[in-house]
Amino acid sequence: MLNQSGLDKVFHALSDASRRAVVERLVRGPASVGTLAEPLAMSLPAVLQHLAVLQDAGIVTSQKIGRVRTCSLVPGALTDPTAWLAAQRLPAERRLDRLGAHLASDHPTQEQS
């Protein structure tokens, strides 16, 4: 399980739409930095900065072969953040389920005289 600092890094890394787009692309498989940069409206140095944030959070890894740097997702990198989110969601969902059951039940209403 990630510590609080690790969770903070992951959530910070995923807080940016461009970095989420990179992660979404890498779900399909490894890609070169150039391929990752193509759909993004930013310079290559900016893409590299975003990749550095994802690498620092432990979400992405890269390797350079010749002149090509290829990035890929770190297996299981999003497991701990997903588990943390699920743990936060479940109690709230249970409360909403109880409220829904209460509202749906046939409770007599009090009439005012």
Side-chain angles (χ1 to χ4, degrees):
M1 182 75 166
L2 285 175
N3 60 26
Q4 191 63 42
S5 174
L7 281 174
D8 290 347
K9 283 183 176 185
V10 170
F11 287 127
H12 168 72
L14 297 175
S15 70
D16 182 85
S18 297
R19 291 191 289 265
R20 288 192 307 274
V22 167
V23 169
E24 288 173 9
R25 168 52 189 87
L26 291 175
V27 165
R28 297 189 310 238
S32 70
V33 172
T35 299
L36 295 172
E38 284 176 14
L40 303 175
M42 62 182 71
S43 66
L44 191 58
V47 172
L48 291 171
Q49 287 178 339
H50 283 296
L51 286 169
V53 172
L54 290 166
Q55 284 183 291
D56 184 51
I59 299 171
V60 170
T61 188
S62 70
Q63 70 177 40
K64 189 171 185 177
I65 299 174
R67 296 181 348 162
V68 178
R69 179 165 298 281
T70 301
C71 299
S72 46
L73 288 179
V74 173
L78 300 178
T79 301
D80 288 342
T82 301
W84 184 88
L85 285 169
Q88 307 316 306
R89 188 186 76 227
L90 290 175
E93 286 178 351
R94 285 187 201 118
R95 286 191 298 273
L96 288 173
D97 288 344
R98 286 193 308 266
L99 176 61
H102 174 75
L103 294 174
S105 67
D106 292 332
H107 287 289
T109 58
Q110 294 181 345
E111 293 182 22
Q112 293 184 359
S113 306

